[in-house]
């Protein structure tokens, strides 16, 4: 076991991964959620996705949202892109950090971005070049890193190969995403152990869903393997429109509780995260699955 | 990190911890649930509690249920007791394994059994003697091992002292229970590391609730610390009538998925556990929180 990190950075993804499966909620509702998220003390927020408005209607207002981000100077914002067109839109909108999604499985890659995993991988260098021209950084987010809803289990070598390409093509960061929430701690530990020699010193982040209840256990396994950057979404909002069976991201407030109670420092205030989760429930108009939303913070300690 | 165990024994506690907070459901409904549980392949089931019928009405039929257990010869049954009277009732009813609860916090101990933690600890030897007379085994279950709903955090030394008393007074097994679902992986690892030198070779089991979403992560942390016996409840049924804020046990089917997918063998069949969770929902008449109950087993692998 690697020594546990003393601090874990949590990137809030409710505005992007959280909302993408929801009906479009309107810009002012997004700004309400963003305001509540900003009040948690979070330092990184994935704000939107520059993708096809017809495929993901809830992200159609990415440019409009991006125009408001200057109001939150303490937060580093990023946006998801699925190709060069989205990367150019993100740069034009002033984004200075992007997540470029490369699915490790072909079937998901085709459903998500209309091309094979190899084709998406080959474009990393071009995405990096577009970002560099604007002084922006690129995280290559490897989707379906453990399982694909169509192809089944993802051979770990596919993940290693994409990570090697990301390294060789100049990615600033690499992320591994359990897109459909089927990863478990044992496979998380194993994949990260295999990735380390491939990626060397490139920062690695983890993105987990809680579809089968194992999301927080998988996230903690990633932390035990030295990962110090995790995605989470207030209330457990989230899902993926192209991944049948996917459900919510791990809930920010539950992750904050787990990490801080385990002795690991985070930037996010627990009570403010629970408050933001309630705002998230309000803006989407339905209950969210986060545990602390239901349990409350009943025991002081 | 201790080497991961290759096999974890799961003790099904839906019939006891699962039902104790529910309105009494009647013996035939319990037998329906037990039949579904037995069909999972489980080897150990905590069937009932020999406690005050006025305090826990749903356990009032413990003797009647015990009379049916011979119908399931492949399963080792146990019962929870809170004192010598319950231990004698359990022996008279033919039980050959009991869990004797000793709460590590005084306030919970008084709420649960009307006496201090020290008084409950002092009685371990007497409980063991009662069991020995019938050739039965005793697990000392240390409740509120991390937090008490009334007293707050439990000093680990209290847990170590109870474990030492259990060792000295002849307990066959020791369990540590996160009664209110507030433990997290970091504190689970730390408590077990502190317990090991105290308990030596006495088998240790873990009992976790998912109140704050960290139950499975805590259970896996226990497994990583070498614990190879975990309590779970189909569907995540459960709670404690004397612990405000407690919610369901970790769900058997979610634990089975997590462990087997992590490469750890269990005796329980996943599909049968999901089916048993549906029976549990039916007999208690409301939805249960287990993740796989909602996600299903959508991805084959």
């Amino acid at each position: 076991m690697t020594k546990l990190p003393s601090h874990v950075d949590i990137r809030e993804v409710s505005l992007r991964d959280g909302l993408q499966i929801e009906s479009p909620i309107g810009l002012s509702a997004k700004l309400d959620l963003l305001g509540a998220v900003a009040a948690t003390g979070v330092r990184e927020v994935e704000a939107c996705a520059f993708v096809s408005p017809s495929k993901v209607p809830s992200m159609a207002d990415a440019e409009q949202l991006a125009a408001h981000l200057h109001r939150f100077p303490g937060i580093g914002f990023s946006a998801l892109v699925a190709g060069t067109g989205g990367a150019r839109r993100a740069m034009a909108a002033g984004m200075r950090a992007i997540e470029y999604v490369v699915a490790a499985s072909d079937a998901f890659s085709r459903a998500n971005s209309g091309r094979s995993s190899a084709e998406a991988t080959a474009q990393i260098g071009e995405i990096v070049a577009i970002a560099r021209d604007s002084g922006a950084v690129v995280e290559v987010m490897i989707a379906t890193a453990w399982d694909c809803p169509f192809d089944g289990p993802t051979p770990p070598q596919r993940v290693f190969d994409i990570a090697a390409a990301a390294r060789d093509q100049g990615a600033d960061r690499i992320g591994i995403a359990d897109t459909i929430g089927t990863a478990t701690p044992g496979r998380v530990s194993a994949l990260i152990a295999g990735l380390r020699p491939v990626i060397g010193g490139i920062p690695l982040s983890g993105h987990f869903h809680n579809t089968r209840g194992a999301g927080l256990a998988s996230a903690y396994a990633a932390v035990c393997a030295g990962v110090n950057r995790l995605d989470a979404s207030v209330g457990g909002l989230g899902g993926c429109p192209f991944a049948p069976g996917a459900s919510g991201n791990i809930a920010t407030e539950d992750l904050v509780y787990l990490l801080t109670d385990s002795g690991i420092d985070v930037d996010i205030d627990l009570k403010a995260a629970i408050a933001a989760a309630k705002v998230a429930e309000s803006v989407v108009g339905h209950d969210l699955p986060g545990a602390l939303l239901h349990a409350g913070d009943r025991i002081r300690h």
Side-chain angles (χ1 to χ4, degrees), chain A residues 134-184:
Chain A
S134 300
V137 296
V138 176
E139 173 169 330
V140 170
M141 178 60 76
I142 307 175
T144 59
W146 286 274
D147 295 300
C148 170
F150 314 111
D151 288 344
T154 301
Q157 190 60 47
R158 296 190 76 125
V159 177
F160 304 154
D161 290 347
I162 295 166
R167 174 200 66 202
D168 295 343
Q169 297 180 51
D172 300 283
R173 298 172 178 273
I174 292 171
I176 41 178
D178 176 25
T179 308
I180 54 173
T182 56
T184 56

Side-chain angles (χ1 to χ4, degrees), chain A residues 35-257:
Chain A
V37 158
T40 65
V42 68
R43 302 278 185 89
E44 291 187 71
V45 173
E46 188 184 58
C48 52
F50 291 89
V51 292
S52 163
S54 62
K55 288 183 79 174
V56 190
S58 60
M59 294 292 121
D61 61 357
E63 276 84 358
Q64 290 91 316
L65 180 65
H68 288 267
L69 301 181
H70 65 89
R71 290 161 50 187
F72 305 93
I75 297 175
F77 288 101
S78 63
L80 181 140
V81 306
T84 52
R88 288 195 186 92
R89 279 176 60 201
M91 294 305 107
M95 304 303 301
R96 288 301 169 261
I98 52 176
E99 284 81 55
Y100 172 51
V101 182
V102 178
S105 70
D106 280 318
F108 184 82
S109 186
R110 290 190 189 285
N112 192 58
S113 66
R115 58 200 174 156
S116 71
S117 175
E119 289 165 336
T121 303
Q123 207 170 47
I124 294 171
E126 201 175 341
I127 300 284
V128 169
I130 292 167
R132 287 284 181 280
D133 280 349
S134 300
V137 296
V138 176
E139 173 169 330
V140 170
M141 178 60 76
I142 307 175
T144 59
W146 286 274
D147 295 300
C148 170
F150 314 111
D151 288 344
T154 301
Q157 190 60 47
R158 296 190 76 125
V159 177
F160 304 154
D161 290 347
I162 295 166
R167 174 200 66 202
D168 295 343
Q169 297 180 51
D172 300 283
R173 298 172 178 273
I174 292 171
I176 41 178
D178 176 25
T179 308
I180 54 173
T182 56
T184 56
R187 287 200 291 151
V188 169
S189 303
L191 191 72
I192 294 171
L195 267 173
R196 287 285 178 208
V198 177
I199 66 173
I202 300 175
L204 181 66
S205 67
H207 177 103
F208 298 98
H209 286 251
N210 202 34
T211 318
R212 295 184 175 194
L216 284 173
S218 292
Y220 192 74
V223 171
C224 289
V227 168
N228 65 357
R229 194 146 164 276
L230 294 169
D231 286 355
S233 175
V234 291
L237 190 69
C240 175
F242 310 114
S247 71
N249 289 89
I250 55 173
T252 305
E253 63 276 15
D254 296 351
L255 179 63
V256 167
Y257 175 76

Side-chain angles (χ1 to χ4, degrees), chain A residues 271-285:
Chain A
K271 287 190 195 310
I274 293 172
K278 289 177 180 160
V279 172
E281 284 191 321
S282 166
V283 301
V284 299

